[in-house]
Amino acid sequence: MNTVREQYERFPYPPLSRFALPRKNQGKTLSYEYGFELLTLNKSTDHFTHAGKRILVAGAGTFEPLLVAITHPLASEIIAIDFSQPSLDLLAKRIEFYKLTNLLLRPYKKTDLPQIKLLHQNIEALKEPFDYIIASNVLHHSANPSRLLNKLSSLLKPQGILRVVTYPKQSRIWMRMTSQWLKLNNITPSTPRLKQKAYQCISLLPPTHPIVSCFLSQPETNTETGIVDSFLNACENPLSPLELEQAAREAGLVLFAESQADTSKSEFLEKLCQKTKNLTKWEKLQILDDLLELCTNPVLWFIKQENKTNANTETLDFNKTTSHKNVLILSNEISPQTVFEQLQIKSKLEILLPSHVYYELSKGLKRAQLLLEKSNIEIKEMIQLLKEQVGQRVKGSFFGKPIPNLTIWEYDLEKILGTPKPWNKANWDNLELLLQDKLVVFHKNDQVYETTLWESIQKLQLYFVYNENF
């Protein structure tokens, strides 16, 4: 299984019983009227009604289109599109069960559902325009999210609105590290007794390890489908806030509101520190993301604009390297040939492996610092505010207890910022060829790794997380 289509055909999402139905008023925050309330900041929006509107639910899944239909009983048509036929089959059964339930409980009242059309095809095939498009957790499962956003925009009528739910990027770093750990230990969607094996794999790490915290704090780990969707997804490719801003501009879209959890909204940064008032919504979201504080998926509301404009998002790359007489830091500037030669001439050579995780964190912190400089704020000051006013995560399987090691302030800031760019797979593969199996990588408890050198290093990096000498 190696494509998103194959994944969702095997694991329809969300993994709910066909008898699970929406709760009363559950869909209020994704209604067309609610979107215009956010747009106009006026609760009197009677002239903005969904009556007669054409609505698209992109990446339909097994549940959301029914919720949308119940919330928009006067819509002219609701199109639910998905490339997973099993998902659409479950959705169809759920819709029929809803109608049957209504018939039995309210036999004298007409079922209040508009026409719902289920399409088993790719979004690219759609041509007719829509008044309202809902795209929940779709963009980040695309190989080219910018292109997909542009396609969704092209399907909007003038003054049409688009509601997007998408993953944050930097804030999901521990989700990605957890995914890597599972995969490096041969946990795949095809693993027999997947849930049990995944929990066993996580238990190999120390109890306070951030990967353990991340895995246990996710309610998705209650099912195999949830584990696959969260940690073994065939494609997870989210855009950062600034990348998403550029993609939206190129698609002719203007962000007018956010409706995720309050502490993950751009305005929260301003509440945290008034100095950031001069920053744009996108810049504030980028800072929150880089500081690992986008803890819920952003829910972004767009409206189509007349003229498209291009924006250039600055790409940042920070490389540092240091060297000592008998210490070799395997940064990106050191070649495999150099390492090989040093190993030949020195009887004792200490090799420092820069932390892959710290390097990823450093890129975010440095980007956040550049943005905060516009408001004359030091990164240390902002992180201290987060420590004092937000604190640790409290969620999930920890039963209300603080979840350790998932917030940026729990780490050594100077150590993160000083981390050079580590070696990539090509460098380790080249070194392995030069050494001709003369190097054995082992864990501190003397457990020998018999995989490739690159896979061994990845496991060690994820196990220790912090900069370690080997």
Side-chain angles (χ1 to χ4, degrees):
M1 187 181 75
N2 55 14
T3 70
V4 177
R5 181 193 296 270
E6 290 172 329
Q7 174 185 318
Y8 287 109
E9 285 185 346
R10 182 176 174 188
F11 297 96
Y13 190 87
L16 301 173
S17 162
R18 60 178 288 188
F19 303 112
L21 296 176
R23 301 183 305 274
K24 186 177 181 180
N25 297 324
Q26 184 178 350
K28 180 183 182 301
T29 57
L30 53 71
S31 72
Y32 182 80
E33 285 82 357
Y34 179 73
F36 269 101
E37 286 179 8
L38 295 174
L39 177 63
T40 62
L41 298 179
N42 184 346
K43 299 301 180 183
S44 177
T45 55
D46 294 338
H47 55 299
F48 293 120
T49 172
H50 74 268
K53 301 301 183 184
R54 194 163 183 261
I55 301 173
L56 171 66
V57 183
T62 68
F63 184 85
E64 191 173 47
L66 174 58
L67 182 60
V68 173
I70 294 172
T71 308
H72 300 84
L74 303 179
S76 65
E77 184 180 41
I78 292 176
I79 301 295
I81 188 169
D82 203 297
F83 51 35
S84 166
Q85 187 62 55
S87 295
L88 292 175
D89 291 342
L90 282 172
L91 174 61
K93 291 175 182 176
R94 193 182 315 282
I95 292 171
E96 291 306 311
F97 179 64
Y98 174 81
K99 291 178 179 178
L100 177 61
T101 302
N102 264 16
L103 181 63
L104 293 174
L105 297 179
R106 300 186 296 174
Y108 303 107
K109 185 173 181 179
K110 182 180 177 182
T111 301
D112 52 347
L113 286 184
Q115 179 184 357
I116 308 174
K117 187 176 181 181
L118 309 186
L119 294 182
H120 178 223
Q121 60 188 58
N122 195 290
I123 293 173
E124 293 291 336
L126 294 176
K127 303 296 181 185
E128 297 298 319
F130 295 86
D131 300 283
Y132 179 31
I133 297 177
I134 298 168
S136 301
N137 298 312
V138 173
L139 284 184
H140 51 251
H141 293 319
S142 169
N144 192 335
S146 296
R147 178 180 173 182
L148 178 55
L149 188 65
N150 194 71
K151 174 61 181 179
L152 292 172
S153 177
S154 73
L155 293 172
L156 276 178
K157 292 180 181 179
Q159 296 303 301
I161 58 176
L162 168 65
R163 180 184 186 271
V164 170
V165 183
T166 188
Y167 285 168
K169 189 171 186 177
Q170 189 75 353
S171 295
R172 280 180 64 88
I173 187 169
W174 291 117
M175 297 290 285
R176 292 195 300 276
M177 296 303 115
T178 303
S179 172
Q180 286 184 28
W181 178 256
L182 292 171
K183 292 173 182 176
L184 284 167
N185 285 280
N186 300 314
I187 304 296
T188 73
S190 300
T191 298
R193 294 178 295 139
L194 173 60
K195 181 178 175 181
Q196 178 184 350
K197 292 292 186 181
Y199 271 87
Q200 289 175 353
C201 177
I202 295 300
S203 70
L204 297 173
L205 296 164
T208 58
H209 196 287
I211 286 177
V212 176
S213 297
C214 176
F215 186 84
L216 295 181
S217 68
Q218 297 302 311
E220 295 279 36
T221 57
N222 291 328
T223 66
E224 289 191 354
T225 296
I227 291 173
V228 171
D229 189 72
S230 297
F231 300 109
L232 303 174
N233 205 289
C235 178
E236 180 176 326
N237 186 31
L239 297 174
S240 71
L242 291 182
E243 290 170 337
L244 190 52
E245 177 190 24
Q246 180 173 335
R249 287 183 181 178
E250 291 173 351
L253 296 168
V254 176
L255 175 70
F256 66 84
E258 308 159 51
S259 57
Q260 63 268 24
D262 287 344
T263 55
S264 287
K265 291 180 181 177
S266 59
E267 62 191 40
F268 175 70
L269 191 71
E270 188 175 331
K271 292 178 181 177
L272 195 66
C273 180
Q274 281 290 317
K275 293 180 181 179
T276 62
K277 187 176 181 179
N278 65 314
L279 300 177
T280 68
K281 283 180 178 289
W282 290 112
E283 289 172 332
K284 292 172 187 175
L285 283 174
Q286 185 67 59
I287 291 170
L288 285 173
D289 193 22
D290 285 332
L291 299 182
L292 312 188
E293 290 297 326
L294 283 190
C295 302
T296 58
N297 293 349
V299 183
L300 308 173
W301 295 79
F302 297 95
I303 191 165
K304 207 167 186 179
Q305 65 178 354
E306 292 296 326
N307 298 316
K308 296 184 180 182
T309 58
N310 293 323
N312 293 320
T313 301
E314 185 177 7
T315 301
L316 305 176
D317 190 15
F318 301 88
N319 296 320
K320 292 183 179 179
T321 184
T322 57
S323 61
H324 303 281
K325 189 172 182 180
N326 287 316
V327 177
L328 197 60
I329 301 177
L330 296 191
S331 71
N332 197 48
E333 297 180 1
I334 302 294
S335 71
Q337 183 64 38
T338 299
V339 176
F340 178 72
E341 291 171 356
Q342 291 294 309
L343 287 171
Q344 302 300 308
I345 62 176
K346 295 194 175 184
S347 58
K348 183 176 181 181
L349 179 64
E350 184 178 354
I351 297 179
L352 177 65
L353 303 183
S355 168
H356 286 273
V357 180
Y358 269 32
Y359 178 68
E360 289 302 313
L361 290 172
S362 76
K363 290 193 294 184
L365 288 180
K366 290 170 181 176
R367 182 170 49 227
Q369 179 62 72
L370 287 177
L371 293 172
L372 287 168
E373 285 175 0
K374 295 182 178 182
S375 302
N376 296 316
I377 305 171
E378 290 292 328
I379 190 77
K380 292 181 180 179
E381 177 185 350
M382 182 59 69
I383 290 176
Q384 184 63 28
L385 286 172
L386 288 170
K387 180 179 180 179
E388 294 172 354
Q389 299 187 36
V390 180
Q392 283 180 297
R393 307 281 183 268
V394 180
K395 186 181 175 184
S397 300
F398 286 80
F399 302 106
K401 297 179 180 179
I403 306 173
N405 299 320
L406 295 185
T407 56
I408 196 67
W409 54 262
E410 294 176 88
Y411 295 86
D412 187 323
L413 183 63
E414 296 301 327
K415 205 177 249 189
I416 291 174
L417 290 173
T419 302
K421 186 175 183 178
W423 268 12
N424 57 22
K425 182 178 184 298
N427 281 337
W428 285 107
D429 288 347
N430 288 337
L431 180 61
E432 189 166 31
L433 286 174
L434 291 169
L435 291 170
Q436 297 179 350
D437 298 328
K438 292 179 181 178
L439 182 68
V440 176
V441 177
F442 60 91
H443 189 284
K444 283 188 175 180
N445 64 7
D446 295 327
Q447 175 186 351
V448 177
Y449 287 114
E450 297 179 351
T451 57
T452 66
L453 185 54
W454 167 244
E455 290 175 346
S456 300
I457 295 301
Q458 284 184 296
K459 283 186 179 180
L460 289 171
Q461 287 274 333
L462 290 174
Y463 189 95
F464 288 103
V465 175
Y466 318 100
N467 288 344
E468 291 281 349
N469 294 338
F470 298 102

